[in-house]
Amino acid sequence: MGTIKSHKGKHLSYAKWGYIFLIPFFLVYCIFSLIPMLSTFYYSFFENYMSGLNQIGPNFVGLANYAKLISEGDLLKYTANTLIMWIIGFVPQIAVSLLLAAWFTNSRLRLKGQGFFKTVIYMPNLIMASAISMLFFALFANDGPINNILMDLGITSESIHFMSSTWGARGLIALMNFLMWFGNTTIILMAGMMGIDPSLCEAAEVDGATSMQIFTHITMPLLRPIMVYTLITSLIGGLQMFDLPQILTNGLGQPDRTTMTLIMYLNNHLFNKNYGMAGALSVLIFIVTGALSIVVFKTLTSEKG
Amino acid sequence: MEKEKSYSAELRVKRAICYFVLLLLTLACLFPFLMLLINTTRSHSAIQQGFSLVPGGSLAANFNNTVHNETILIVRGMLNSLFVSTATVVLSVYFSAMTAYAIHAYDFRIKKAVMNFILLIMTIPTQVGALGFVNMMTAMNLKNTYIPLIVPAIAAPAVFFFMKQYMESSLPLEIVEAARIDGSGEFYTFNAIVLPLLKPAIAVQAIFGFVSSWNNYFTPALMLTKAEKKTLPLWIAFLRSADFAKFDMGQLYMMIAFSIFPVIVIYFLLSKFIVQGVALGGVKG
């Protein structure tokens, strides 16, 4: 009896260590993330901004900031900008990544130099987004190298003003996003495809299925959880789009604020000490990403079965 | 027999298409950086005259001008970035491993809830707390210090998640039991026995952590306003806001190169590691 009891006691003392090891994480999380986030939500209910050099507020105004945010119309415009730029980057990204992942894992094709290609296409993902954006700004400038090359090749007779047209600027941002992320997506999808039992594909092959049929009827359905994960994490990342358009347009979202994203909008409010509006905007972004996060959470926990 | 032949011919055509597409994508990924590299070797006037694939002879001049530029402190920025990124990585890897170990090695009542909580907050963007964060750091007099950039790395849900996955596959609890029998304390076991076993996971996360801190722009932009404190991305943003028409383009490309090429060099040295790491992080179980 005594021994069992002491054994139990020992077990409990180990559990204590579990809690102790969790302390740093939760302490830091509370101070640097949770409390700031809650105080952000709190700010959203107050009128609090700078009018010239005078600080107005904080006065409690209930949901007035939210009403103002939604009725002003900018929110809708910037949400649309963000989503449009995300979509025109993501659609080619997922298409190319699926194609490459299918090719790389295809046992009949046996492509050589896979290690090299994977290394190269992943590389842009690690490079400073702001530096890539600055580089593209210089390369695609009106008298920049890209225009020089296009004119030397006779493709265009006068320089193309990429950054002063809406679709030119959005296209550049989407292009950078595509270059930065398709390698990452390819590798994740590849890992998913390699997890598929090869005997399934072999059996289908024996039954006379073409590689296209195998892809659409076996690979794609089995890949669904990873596709959902990729889609939602990319959307969450897309909603946070900031560095690329911020640097490319110097924070102005030119032309005519058509490349202004939600986080750029938030950033402007923060720099103008427009705290009430910044708070309300943060809450809205939180709600949207929170809802999306739950989907990711579900795919992460259900996959383990 | 005939069917076999047309089959292999088809395969050859298909392979050729694959290689062609891969080559195009490789070119798309490398060409901007090749242009950057070439332009760092050319003088302002040469760059203005048009692009050429032939490197110029101004590499040393551009380098010297950049290093000695007294308004744009790129070298200082680089050292600052190096310090912040290194400190961030050490904290985030060590404490994420500790948090993961708490969940992996111990049984306690709220374990499942803790795990779910961390997974749930993993995808919440840091930006949604930015307002409260800025105000709090201002109130605590921590603006223009590196504390707001470094210390929060202790709570890194994504690194925790990776470590947790790795422990599930490669850290048998028998080792911990054996250490206990030998009289090793829990804290000592973690530091001296568990951490060394996590080396592969630590290496992967160290690389990613370093790079993401090196590239981070949003939070530093809110925290650092003094020139001597600024990190590299802030100088890149400063370049963009400077009067472009008057700027020495050779220097401009050199400054971009300073922020890009260290990462590219590290990447090609460690690429095998990194690509495996991405695959590991993407798939679970």
Side-chain angles (χ1 to χ4, degrees):
Chain A
M1 197 66 179
T3 51
I4 290 171
K5 215 171 187 181
S6 80
H7 189 77
K8 246 189 175 171
K10 220 175 180 183
H11 200 76
L12 274 176
S13 78
Y14 286 139
K16 177 188 81 184
W17 281 97
Y19 291 111
I20 291 174
F21 282 173
L22 286 176
I23 290 172
F25 184 99
F26 281 91
L27 197 66
V28 169
Y29 181 74
C30 285
I31 295 174
F32 289 94
S33 295
L34 191 63
I35 294 173
M37 205 160 78
L38 296 177
S39 76
T40 301
F41 297 172
Y42 181 73
Y43 276 104
S44 73
F45 302 112
F46 287 84
E47 177 188 56
N48 188 1
Y49 60 94
M50 296 295 278
S51 171
L53 286 174
N54 303 318
Q55 191 180 12
I56 309 289
N59 308 314
F60 183 77
V61 290
L63 294 173
N65 287 323
Y66 293 89
K68 195 173 163 204
L69 194 64
I70 290 163
S71 65
E72 265 183 358
D74 283 347
L75 178 72
L76 202 67
K77 178 173 174 162
Y78 301 149
T79 310
N81 289 343
T82 312
L83 287 176
I84 288 169
M85 288 192 282
W86 173 68
I87 289 168
I88 51 180
F90 183 73
V91 171
Q93 179 195 317
I94 197 78
V96 168
S97 299
L98 264 178
L99 197 67
L100 292 189
W103 285 351
F104 283 145
T105 51
N106 188 322
S107 56
R108 242 186 280 168
L109 273 173
R110 280 196 304 274
L111 294 175
K112 291 196 185 76
Q114 284 199 25
F116 169 77
F117 288 124
K118 274 188 260 174
T119 306
V120 170
I121 62 174
Y122 185 72
M123 185 194 70
N125 191 251
L126 289 180
I127 292 170
M128 194 184 290
S130 44
I132 291 189
S133 199
M134 187 66 210
L135 176 62
F136 272 56
F137 175 76
L139 294 178
F140 284 85
N142 294 346
D143 54 356
I146 296 286
N147 266 314
N148 289 329
I149 293 172
L150 291 177
M151 286 195 287
D152 287 346
L153 293 175
I155 294 171
T156 166
S157 55
E158 51 188 276
S159 73
I160 303 170
H161 295 198
F162 289 100
M163 276 157 292
S164 33
S165 85
T166 299
W167 291 102
R170 284 177 176 171
L172 272 184
I173 293 161
L175 172 68
M176 288 188 275
N177 261 321
F178 167 78
L179 281 179
M180 287 182 73
W181 288 99
F182 84 96
N184 184 69
T185 310
T186 303
I187 291 168
I188 289 177
L189 292 180
M190 260 189 77
M193 285 183 189
M194 287 191 299
I196 294 172
D197 185 357
S199 64
L200 281 176
C201 301
E202 276 159 27
E205 215 169 288
V206 171
D207 289 345
T210 65
S211 50
M212 194 61 204
Q213 281 171 326
I214 292 176
F215 185 73
T216 51
H217 288 98
I218 295 176
T219 314
M220 281 304 281
L222 287 172
L223 213 55
R224 203 204 231 132
I226 293 193
M227 292 283 285
V228 171
Y229 174 83
T230 310
L231 175 80
I232 304 294
T233 47
S234 168
L235 179 54
I236 293 173
L239 287 173
Q240 294 170 52
M241 201 186 293
F242 175 71
D243 295 19
L244 294 173
Q246 173 80 11
I247 301 289
L248 191 75
T249 67
N250 199 15
L252 300 172
Q254 286 150 333
D256 192 26
R257 296 179 293 136
T258 49
T259 56
M260 179 79 79
T261 65
L262 283 172
I263 300 293
M264 286 167 77
Y265 188 35
L266 174 66
N267 193 55
N268 284 347
H269 280 319
L270 287 177
F271 267 92
N272 298 328
K273 301 200 187 302
N274 221 338
Y275 293 144
M277 294 294 273
L281 182 57
S282 301
V283 171
L284 293 181
I285 296 173
F286 172 79
I287 290 171
V288 175
T289 46
L292 292 167
S293 300
I294 289 172
V295 181
V296 175
F297 175 75
K298 286 257 162 73
T299 53
L300 282 181
T301 43
S302 71
E303 236 175 90
K304 276 194 192 151
Chain B
M1 202 59 198
E2 185 132 305
K3 204 183 162 199
E4 200 92 313
K5 230 180 202 166
S6 76
Y7 193 72
S8 75
E10 190 198 311
L11 197 62
R12 222 172 294 145
V13 172
K14 215 178 153 193
R15 239 180 233 153
I17 295 172
C18 292
Y19 284 125
F20 179 70
V21 172
L22 282 171
L23 212 65
L24 277 185
L25 288 169
T26 305
L27 210 64
C29 286
L30 294 182
F31 196 61
F33 304 111
L34 181 70
M35 288 168 97
L36 169 63
L37 190 63
I38 291 171
N39 274 349
T40 56
T41 67
R42 302 170 75 219
S43 67
H44 179 70
S45 56
I47 291 170
Q48 294 278 297
Q49 275 161 23
F51 184 71
S52 118
L53 280 171
V54 186
S58 304
L59 181 67
N62 287 337
F63 187 86
N64 268 325
N65 290 339
T66 304
V67 171
H68 294 116
N69 191 319
E70 283 180 7
T71 23
I72 302 177
L73 313 172
I74 283 287
V75 177
R76 184 68 199 258
M78 224 168 153
L79 294 174
N80 292 343
S81 282
L82 196 66
F83 172 72
V84 172
S85 307
T86 310
T88 303
V89 159
V90 171
L91 290 187
S92 101
V93 167
Y94 181 77
F95 285 103
S96 300
M98 183 182 269
T99 313
Y101 184 68
I103 301 282
H104 181 68
Y106 300 100
D107 269 318
F108 50 94
R109 218 171 329 137
I110 57 164
K111 175 168 149 162
K112 185 91 185 144
V114 169
M115 175 77 188
N116 284 343
F117 177 77
I118 301 179
L119 279 184
L120 206 54
I121 61 174
M122 188 160 73
T123 40
I124 296 177
T126 48
Q127 289 96 324
V128 300
L131 167 60
F133 189 75
V134 170
N135 288 340
M136 193 167 149
M137 293 306 130
T138 313
M140 290 163 85
N141 242 333
L142 290 175
K143 264 187 119 176
N144 281 311
T145 72
Y146 294 136
I147 292 170
L149 305 181
I150 294 172
V151 179
I154 289 174
V159 185
F160 156 84
F161 185 63
F162 186 93
M163 292 291 177
K164 177 78 180 47
Q165 297 284 34
Y166 187 82
M167 284 179 189
E168 262 165 32
S169 65
S170 332
L171 185 69
L173 287 176
E174 287 79 17
I175 295 175
V176 181
E177 290 289 335
R180 267 177 205 155
I181 291 164
D182 289 346
S184 160
E186 297 302 302
F187 194 61
Y188 181 82
T189 308
F190 172 71
N191 283 324
I193 296 164
V194 174
L195 271 188
L197 289 172
L198 299 178
K199 259 184 205 154
I202 289 175
V204 169
Q205 285 309 308
I207 298 164
F208 285 115
F210 186 91
V211 168
S212 72
S213 170
W214 179 267
N215 296 346
N216 189 12
Y217 172 53
F218 186 82
T219 318
L222 293 170
M223 285 298 128
L224 308 173
T225 50
K226 284 190 183 149
E228 70 269 21
K229 291 283 181 185
K230 283 185 178 178
T231 55
L232 271 179
L234 302 188
W235 285 117
I236 296 291
F238 183 84
L239 277 181
R240 177 61 184 86
S241 64
D243 187 358
F244 221 69
K246 290 182 202 147
F247 213 83
D248 174 1
M249 293 303 280
Q251 247 190 85
L252 177 107
Y253 283 108
M254 184 57 88
M255 287 172 178
I256 300 174
F258 265 68
S259 38
I260 287 181
F261 284 118
V263 172
I264 293 191
V265 171
I266 297 174
Y267 175 65
F268 280 108
L269 289 176
L270 304 173
S271 63
K272 223 178 160 181
F273 240 5
I274 296 175
V275 172
Q276 278 170 358
V278 181
L280 268 177
V283 194
K284 287 123 248 119

